[in-house]
PDB file of all heavy atoms in Angstrom:
ATOM      1  N   LEU A  56      -1.541  -1.305  -8.054  1.00 96.00           N
ATOM      2  CA  LEU A  56      -2.961  -1.653  -7.970  1.00 96.00           C
ATOM      3  C   LEU A  56      -3.278  -2.914  -8.764  1.00 96.00           C
ATOM      4  O   LEU A  56      -4.031  -3.773  -8.300  1.00 96.00           O
ATOM      5  CB  LEU A  56      -3.825  -0.482  -8.440  1.00 96.00           C
ATOM      6  CG  LEU A  56      -3.814   0.729  -7.507  1.00 96.00           C
ATOM      7  CD1 LEU A  56      -4.326   1.959  -8.227  1.00 96.00           C
ATOM      8  CD2 LEU A  56      -4.607   0.443  -6.255  1.00 96.00           C
ATOM      9  N   TRP A  59      -2.046  -5.853  -6.534  1.00 96.00           N
ATOM     10  CA  TRP A  59      -2.807  -6.158  -5.322  1.00 96.00           C
ATOM     11  C   TRP A  59      -4.312  -6.238  -5.553  1.00 96.00           C
ATOM     12  O   TRP A  59      -5.028  -6.845  -4.765  1.00 96.00           O
ATOM     13  CB  TRP A  59      -2.493  -5.149  -4.219  1.00 96.00           C
ATOM     14  CG  TRP A  59      -1.435  -5.664  -3.286  1.00 96.00           C
ATOM     15  CD1 TRP A  59      -1.627  -6.501  -2.233  1.00 96.00           C
ATOM     16  CD2 TRP A  59      -0.030  -5.408  -3.332  1.00 96.00           C
ATOM     17  NE1 TRP A  59      -0.439  -6.783  -1.631  1.00 96.00           N
ATOM     18  CE2 TRP A  59       0.567  -6.118  -2.280  1.00 96.00           C
ATOM     19  CE3 TRP A  59       0.766  -4.635  -4.159  1.00 96.00           C
ATOM     20  CZ2 TRP A  59       1.926  -6.081  -2.026  1.00 96.00           C
ATOM     21  CZ3 TRP A  59       2.121  -4.602  -3.909  1.00 96.00           C
ATOM     22  CH2 TRP A  59       2.694  -5.324  -2.860  1.00 96.00           C
ATOM     23  N   MET A  60      -4.807  -5.618  -6.614  1.00 95.00           N
ATOM     24  CA  MET A  60      -6.238  -5.647  -6.922  1.00 95.00           C
ATOM     25  C   MET A  60      -6.438  -6.072  -8.376  1.00 95.00           C
ATOM     26  O   MET A  60      -6.954  -5.306  -9.195  1.00 95.00           O
ATOM     27  CB  MET A  60      -6.865  -4.265  -6.709  1.00 95.00           C
ATOM     28  CG  MET A  60      -6.841  -3.755  -5.317  1.00 95.00           C
ATOM     29  SD  MET A  60      -7.606  -2.092  -5.294  1.00 95.00           S
ATOM     30  CE  MET A  60      -7.574  -1.731  -3.575  1.00 95.00           C
ATOM     31  N   PRO A  61      -6.044  -7.287  -8.716  1.00 94.00           N
ATOM     32  CA  PRO A  61      -6.180  -7.715 -10.117  1.00 94.00           C
ATOM     33  C   PRO A  61      -7.656  -7.726 -10.520  1.00 94.00           C
ATOM     34  O   PRO A  61      -8.535  -7.940  -9.696  1.00 94.00           O
ATOM     35  CB  PRO A  61      -5.588  -9.124 -10.114  1.00 94.00           C
ATOM     36  CG  PRO A  61      -5.710  -9.597  -8.700  1.00 94.00           C
ATOM     37  CD  PRO A  61      -5.587  -8.367  -7.847  1.00 94.00           C
ATOM     38  N   GLY A  62      -7.908  -7.452 -11.761  1.00 90.00           N
ATOM     39  CA  GLY A  62      -9.283  -7.450 -12.229  1.00 90.00           C
ATOM     40  C   GLY A  62      -9.916  -6.076 -12.289  1.00 90.00           C
ATOM     41  O   GLY A  62     -11.010  -5.915 -12.811  1.00 90.00           O
ATOM     42  N   GLY A  63      -9.223  -5.073 -11.760  1.00 95.00           N
ATOM     43  CA  GLY A  63      -9.745  -3.719 -11.820  1.00 95.00           C
ATOM     44  C   GLY A  63      -9.365  -3.048 -13.130  1.00 95.00           C
ATOM     45  O   GLY A  63      -8.622  -3.610 -13.944  1.00 95.00           O
ATOM     46  N   TYR A  70      -8.747   3.952 -10.207  1.00 97.00           N
ATOM     47  CA  TYR A  70      -8.665   2.530 -10.475  1.00 97.00           C
ATOM     48  C   TYR A  70      -9.898   1.926  -9.818  1.00 97.00           C
ATOM     49  O   TYR A  70     -10.122   2.101  -8.623  1.00 97.00           O
ATOM     50  CB  TYR A  70      -7.390   1.933  -9.870  1.00 97.00           C
ATOM     51  CG  TYR A  70      -7.168   0.489 -10.215  1.00 97.00           C
ATOM     52  CD1 TYR A  70      -6.638   0.134 -11.457  1.00 97.00           C
ATOM     53  CD2 TYR A  70      -7.475  -0.520  -9.325  1.00 97.00           C
ATOM     54  CE1 TYR A  70      -6.421  -1.201 -11.789  1.00 97.00           C
ATOM     55  CE2 TYR A  70      -7.259  -1.846  -9.638  1.00 97.00           C
ATOM     56  CZ  TYR A  70      -6.731  -2.180 -10.868  1.00 97.00           C
ATOM     57  OH  TYR A  70      -6.523  -3.516 -11.197  1.00 97.00           O
ATOM     58  N   VAL A  71     -10.729   1.262 -10.590  1.00 97.00           N
ATOM     59  CA  VAL A  71     -12.035   0.813 -10.120  1.00 97.00           C
ATOM     60  C   VAL A  71     -12.120  -0.713 -10.163  1.00 97.00           C
ATOM     61  O   VAL A  71     -11.707  -1.346 -11.137  1.00 97.00           O
ATOM     62  CB  VAL A  71     -13.154   1.422 -11.017  1.00 97.00           C
ATOM     63  CG1 VAL A  71     -14.525   0.969 -10.561  1.00 97.00           C
ATOM     64  CG2 VAL A  71     -13.056   2.936 -11.019  1.00 97.00           C
ATOM     65  N   CYS A  72     -12.673  -1.281  -9.091  1.00 95.00           N
ATOM     66  CA  CYS A  72     -12.920  -2.726  -9.032  1.00 95.00           C
ATOM     67  C   CYS A  72     -14.061  -2.978  -8.046  1.00 95.00           C
ATOM     68  O   CYS A  72     -14.629  -2.042  -7.495  1.00 95.00           O
ATOM     69  CB  CYS A  72     -11.656  -3.483  -8.641  1.00 95.00           C
ATOM     70  SG  CYS A  72     -10.855  -2.910  -7.145  1.00 95.00           S
ATOM     71  N   GLY A  73     -14.383  -4.228  -7.838  1.00 94.00           N
ATOM     72  CA  GLY A  73     -15.531  -4.563  -7.007  1.00 94.00           C
ATOM     73  C   GLY A  73     -15.267  -4.541  -5.514  1.00 94.00           C
ATOM     74  O   GLY A  73     -16.167  -4.304  -4.714  1.00 94.00           O
ATOM     75  N   ASP A  74     -14.025  -4.818  -5.113  1.00 92.00           N
ATOM     76  CA  ASP A  74     -13.659  -4.810  -3.702  1.00 92.00           C
ATOM     77  C   ASP A  74     -12.154  -4.658  -3.573  1.00 92.00           C
ATOM     78  O   ASP A  74     -11.452  -4.607  -4.572  1.00 92.00           O
ATOM     79  CB  ASP A  74     -14.145  -6.074  -2.986  1.00 92.00           C
ATOM     80  CG  ASP A  74     -13.627  -7.370  -3.594  1.00 92.00           C
ATOM     81  OD1 ASP A  74     -12.489  -7.370  -4.136  1.00 92.00           O
ATOM     82  OD2 ASP A  74     -14.326  -8.376  -3.539  1.00 92.00           O
ATOM     83  N   LYS A  75     -11.672  -4.583  -2.343  1.00 92.00           N
ATOM     84  CA  LYS A  75     -10.248  -4.337  -2.143  1.00 92.00           C
ATOM     85  C   LYS A  75      -9.358  -5.490  -2.608  1.00 92.00           C
ATOM     86  O   LYS A  75      -8.152  -5.346  -2.654  1.00 92.00           O
ATOM     87  CB  LYS A  75      -9.946  -4.009  -0.681  1.00 92.00           C
ATOM     88  CG  LYS A  75     -10.097  -5.175   0.264  1.00 92.00           C
ATOM     89  CD  LYS A  75      -9.783  -4.757   1.682  1.00 92.00           C
ATOM     90  CE  LYS A  75      -9.892  -5.945   2.618  1.00 92.00           C
ATOM     91  NZ  LYS A  75      -9.687  -5.568   4.001  1.00 92.00           N
ATOM     92  N   PHE A  76      -9.960  -6.594  -2.978  1.00 91.00           N
ATOM     93  CA  PHE A  76      -9.193  -7.726  -3.494  1.00 91.00           C
ATOM     94  C   PHE A  76      -9.198  -7.764  -5.015  1.00 91.00           C
ATOM     95  O   PHE A  76      -8.634  -8.664  -5.618  1.00 91.00           O
ATOM     96  CB  PHE A  76      -9.721  -9.033  -2.918  1.00 91.00           C
ATOM     97  CG  PHE A  76      -9.692  -9.071  -1.411  1.00 91.00           C
ATOM     98  CD1 PHE A  76     -10.855  -8.988  -0.680  1.00 91.00           C
ATOM     99  CD2 PHE A  76      -8.480  -9.160  -0.736  1.00 91.00           C
ATOM    100  CE1 PHE A  76     -10.826  -9.006   0.704  1.00 91.00           C
ATOM    101  CE2 PHE A  76      -8.435  -9.170   0.646  1.00 91.00           C
ATOM    102  CZ  PHE A  76      -9.619  -9.097   1.383  1.00 91.00           C
ATOM    103  N   GLY A  77      -9.852  -6.795  -5.641  1.00 88.00           N
ATOM    104  CA  GLY A  77      -9.856  -6.696  -7.094  1.00 88.00           C
ATOM    105  C   GLY A  77     -10.967  -7.454  -7.773  1.00 88.00           C
ATOM    106  O   GLY A  77     -10.894  -7.735  -8.959  1.00 88.00           O
ATOM    107  N   GLY A  78     -12.019  -7.783  -7.045  1.00 86.00           N
ATOM    108  CA  GLY A  78     -13.143  -8.514  -7.625  1.00 86.00           C
ATOM    109  C   GLY A  78     -13.903  -7.695  -8.669  1.00 86.00           C
ATOM    110  O   GLY A  78     -13.669  -6.497  -8.839  1.00 86.00           O
ATOM    111  N   ALA A  79     -14.800  -8.360  -9.350  1.00 88.00           N
ATOM    112  CA  ALA A  79     -15.595  -7.712 -10.393  1.00 88.00           C
ATOM    113  C   ALA A  79     -16.557  -6.697  -9.769  1.00 88.00           C
ATOM    114  O   ALA A  79     -17.063  -6.895  -8.668  1.00 88.00           O
ATOM    115  CB  ALA A  79     -16.376  -8.757 -11.165  1.00 88.00           C
ATOM    116  N   GLY A  80     -16.781  -5.623 -10.483  1.00 89.00           N
ATOM    117  CA  GLY A  80     -17.712  -4.595 -10.026  1.00 89.00           C
ATOM    118  C   GLY A  80     -17.052  -3.229  -9.997  1.00 89.00           C
ATOM    119  O   GLY A  80     -15.949  -3.053 -10.499  1.00 89.00           O
ATOM    120  N   GLU A  81     -17.734  -2.277  -9.382  1.00 91.00           N
ATOM    121  CA  GLU A  81     -17.220  -0.905  -9.362  1.00 91.00           C
ATOM    122  C   GLU A  81     -17.456  -0.201  -8.028  1.00 91.00           C
ATOM    123  O   GLU A  81     -17.497   1.018  -7.978  1.00 91.00           O
ATOM    124  CB  GLU A  81     -17.856  -0.097 -10.497  1.00 91.00           C
ATOM    125  CG  GLU A  81     -17.479  -0.590 -11.859  1.00 91.00           C
ATOM    126  CD  GLU A  81     -17.899   0.348 -12.970  1.00 91.00           C
ATOM    127  OE1 GLU A  81     -18.601   1.349 -12.700  1.00 91.00           O
ATOM    128  OE2 GLU A  81     -17.517   0.085 -14.116  1.00 91.00           O
ATOM    129  N   SER A  82     -17.576  -0.937  -6.930  1.00 92.00           N
ATOM    130  CA  SER A  82     -17.836  -0.269  -5.659  1.00 92.00           C
ATOM    131  C   SER A  82     -16.564   0.149  -4.934  1.00 92.00           C
ATOM    132  O   SER A  82     -16.614   0.783  -3.895  1.00 92.00           O
ATOM    133  CB  SER A  82     -18.675  -1.167  -4.739  1.00 92.00           C
ATOM    134  OG  SER A  82     -17.920  -2.270  -4.303  1.00 92.00           O
ATOM    135  N   CYS A  83     -15.414  -0.173  -5.499  1.00 96.00           N
ATOM    136  CA  CYS A  83     -14.136   0.145  -4.879  1.00 96.00           C
ATOM    137  C   CYS A  83     -13.326   1.008  -5.842  1.00 96.00           C
ATOM    138  O   CYS A  83     -13.228   0.682  -7.027  1.00 96.00           O
ATOM    139  CB  CYS A  83     -13.395  -1.155  -4.577  1.00 96.00           C
ATOM    140  SG  CYS A  83     -11.804  -0.959  -3.793  1.00 96.00           S
ATOM    141  N   SER A  84     -12.763   2.109  -5.355  1.00 97.00           N
ATOM    142  CA  SER A  84     -11.946   2.941  -6.237  1.00 97.00           C
ATOM    143  C   SER A  84     -10.760   3.518  -5.476  1.00 97.00           C
ATOM    144  O   SER A  84     -10.835   3.767  -4.274  1.00 97.00           O
ATOM    145  CB  SER A  84     -12.767   4.053  -6.874  1.00 97.00           C
ATOM    146  OG  SER A  84     -13.133   5.010  -5.923  1.00 97.00           O
ATOM    147  N   THR A  85      -9.684   3.725  -6.222  1.00 97.00           N
ATOM    148  CA  THR A  85      -8.460   4.309  -5.680  1.00 97.00           C
ATOM    149  C   THR A  85      -7.985   5.383  -6.635  1.00 97.00           C
ATOM    150  O   THR A  85      -7.908   5.155  -7.844  1.00 97.00           O
ATOM    151  CB  THR A  85      -7.367   3.238  -5.504  1.00 97.00           C
ATOM    152  OG1 THR A  85      -7.850   2.197  -4.656  1.00 97.00           O
ATOM    153  CG2 THR A  85      -6.104   3.823  -4.907  1.00 97.00           C
ATOM    154  N   SER A  93     -11.272   3.817  -1.358  1.00 96.00           N
ATOM    155  CA  SER A  93     -12.272   3.241  -0.464  1.00 96.00           C
ATOM    156  C   SER A  93     -13.081   2.187  -1.186  1.00 96.00           C
ATOM    157  O   SER A  93     -13.193   2.188  -2.409  1.00 96.00           O
ATOM    158  CB  SER A  93     -13.197   4.325   0.089  1.00 96.00           C
ATOM    159  OG  SER A  93     -13.923   4.934  -0.945  1.00 96.00           O
ATOM    160  N   ASP A  94     -13.614   1.297  -0.383  1.00 94.00           N
ATOM    161  CA  ASP A  94     -14.566   0.303  -0.854  1.00 94.00           C
ATOM    162  C   ASP A  94     -15.912   0.753  -0.324  1.00 94.00           C
ATOM    163  O   ASP A  94     -16.185   0.658   0.870  1.00 94.00           O
ATOM    164  CB  ASP A  94     -14.194  -1.081  -0.322  1.00 94.00           C
ATOM    165  CG  ASP A  94     -15.111  -2.175  -0.816  1.00 94.00           C
ATOM    166  OD1 ASP A  94     -16.256  -1.872  -1.222  1.00 94.00           O
ATOM    167  OD2 ASP A  94     -14.688  -3.342  -0.807  1.00 94.00           O
ATOM    168  N   PHE A  95     -16.719   1.309  -1.187  1.00 92.00           N
ATOM    169  CA  PHE A  95     -17.986   1.895  -0.762  1.00 92.00           C
ATOM    170  C   PHE A  95     -18.947   0.859  -0.211  1.00 92.00           C
ATOM    171  O   PHE A  95     -19.769   1.163   0.650  1.00 92.00           O
ATOM    172  CB  PHE A  95     -18.620   2.678  -1.911  1.00 92.00           C
ATOM    173  CG  PHE A  95     -17.726   3.786  -2.404  1.00 92.00           C
ATOM    174  CD1 PHE A  95     -17.053   3.675  -3.604  1.00 92.00           C
ATOM    175  CD2 PHE A  95     -17.538   4.930  -1.650  1.00 92.00           C
ATOM    176  CE1 PHE A  95     -16.213   4.680  -4.058  1.00 92.00           C
ATOM    177  CE2 PHE A  95     -16.694   5.951  -2.083  1.00 92.00           C
ATOM    178  CZ  PHE A  95     -16.042   5.814  -3.301  1.00 92.00           C
ATOM    179  N   ALA A  96     -18.843  -0.386  -0.665  1.00 89.00           N
ATOM    180  CA  ALA A  96     -19.742  -1.441  -0.173  1.00 89.00           C
ATOM    181  C   ALA A  96     -19.419  -1.824   1.271  1.00 89.00           C
ATOM    182  O   ALA A  96     -20.311  -2.033   2.083  1.00 89.00           O
ATOM    183  CB  ALA A  96     -19.659  -2.664  -1.072  1.00 89.00           C
ATOM    184  N   SER A  97     -18.126  -1.903   1.610  1.00 91.00           N
ATOM    185  CA  SER A  97     -17.745  -2.331   2.951  1.00 91.00           C
ATOM    186  C   SER A  97     -17.474  -1.160   3.898  1.00 91.00           C
ATOM    187  O   SER A  97     -17.408  -1.344   5.109  1.00 91.00           O
ATOM    188  CB  SER A  97     -16.481  -3.201   2.886  1.00 91.00           C
ATOM    189  OG  SER A  97     -15.360  -2.419   2.531  1.00 91.00           O
ATOM    190  N   GLU A  99     -14.642   0.426   3.976  1.00 94.00           N
ATOM    191  CA  GLU A  99     -13.207   0.494   4.246  1.00 94.00           C
ATOM    192  C   GLU A  99     -12.567   1.620   3.449  1.00 94.00           C
ATOM    193  O   GLU A  99     -12.967   1.893   2.320  1.00 94.00           O
ATOM    194  CB  GLU A  99     -12.541  -0.822   3.885  1.00 94.00           C
ATOM    195  CG  GLU A  99     -13.007  -1.979   4.751  1.00 94.00           C
ATOM    196  CD  GLU A  99     -12.501  -3.305   4.251  1.00 94.00           C
ATOM    197  OE1 GLU A  99     -13.066  -3.802   3.258  1.00 94.00           O
ATOM    198  OE2 GLU A  99     -11.521  -3.806   4.824  1.00 94.00           O
ATOM    199  N   TRP A 101      -8.554   3.725   2.698  1.00 97.00           N
ATOM    200  CA  TRP A 101      -7.106   3.773   2.886  1.00 97.00           C
ATOM    201  C   TRP A 101      -6.596   5.120   2.423  1.00 97.00           C
ATOM    202  O   TRP A 101      -7.133   5.727   1.510  1.00 97.00           O
ATOM    203  CB  TRP A 101      -6.405   2.620   2.162  1.00 97.00           C
ATOM    204  CG  TRP A 101      -6.888   2.362   0.780  1.00 97.00           C
ATOM    205  CD1 TRP A 101      -6.383   2.865  -0.387  1.00 97.00           C
ATOM    206  CD2 TRP A 101      -7.988   1.542   0.401  1.00 97.00           C
ATOM    207  NE1 TRP A 101      -7.098   2.411  -1.456  1.00 97.00           N
ATOM    208  CE2 TRP A 101      -8.102   1.588  -0.997  1.00 97.00           C
ATOM    209  CE3 TRP A 101      -8.911   0.772   1.100  1.00 97.00           C
ATOM    210  CZ2 TRP A 101      -9.079   0.902  -1.703  1.00 97.00           C
ATOM    211  CZ3 TRP A 101      -9.881   0.086   0.403  1.00 97.00           C
ATOM    212  CH2 TRP A 101      -9.958   0.150  -0.983  1.00 97.00           C
ATOM    213  N   MET A 107      -3.198   0.749   2.108  1.00 96.00           N
ATOM    214  CA  MET A 107      -3.979  -0.151   1.257  1.00 96.00           C
ATOM    215  C   MET A 107      -3.441  -1.580   1.333  1.00 96.00           C
ATOM    216  O   MET A 107      -4.202  -2.525   1.543  1.00 96.00           O
ATOM    217  CB  MET A 107      -3.943   0.341  -0.189  1.00 96.00           C
ATOM    218  CG  MET A 107      -4.706  -0.532  -1.167  1.00 96.00           C
ATOM    219  SD  MET A 107      -4.335  -0.110  -2.886  1.00 96.00           S
ATOM    220  CE  MET A 107      -2.691  -0.795  -3.075  1.00 96.00           C
ATOM    221  N   ILE A 111      -5.321  -5.013   2.597  1.00 95.00           N
ATOM    222  CA  ILE A 111      -5.528  -6.150   1.688  1.00 95.00           C
ATOM    223  C   ILE A 111      -4.862  -7.398   2.239  1.00 95.00           C
ATOM    224  O   ILE A 111      -5.449  -8.485   2.240  1.00 95.00           O
ATOM    225  CB  ILE A 111      -5.010  -5.821   0.277  1.00 95.00           C
ATOM    226  CG1 ILE A 111      -5.873  -4.742  -0.367  1.00 95.00           C
ATOM    227  CG2 ILE A 111      -4.978  -7.081  -0.601  1.00 95.00           C
ATOM    228  CD1 ILE A 111      -5.299  -4.180  -1.658  1.00 95.00           C
TER     229      ILE A 111
END
Side-chain angles (χ1 to χ4, degrees):
L56 291 163
W59 264 277
M60 297 179 176
Y70 186 80
V71 180
C72 53
D74 57 32
K75 70 180 182 184
F76 302 108
E81 295 190 353
S82 69
C83 181
S84 70
T85 302
S93 63
D94 182 338
F95 301 106
S97 70
E99 295 172 283
W101 44 93
M107 179 192 74
I111 292 170

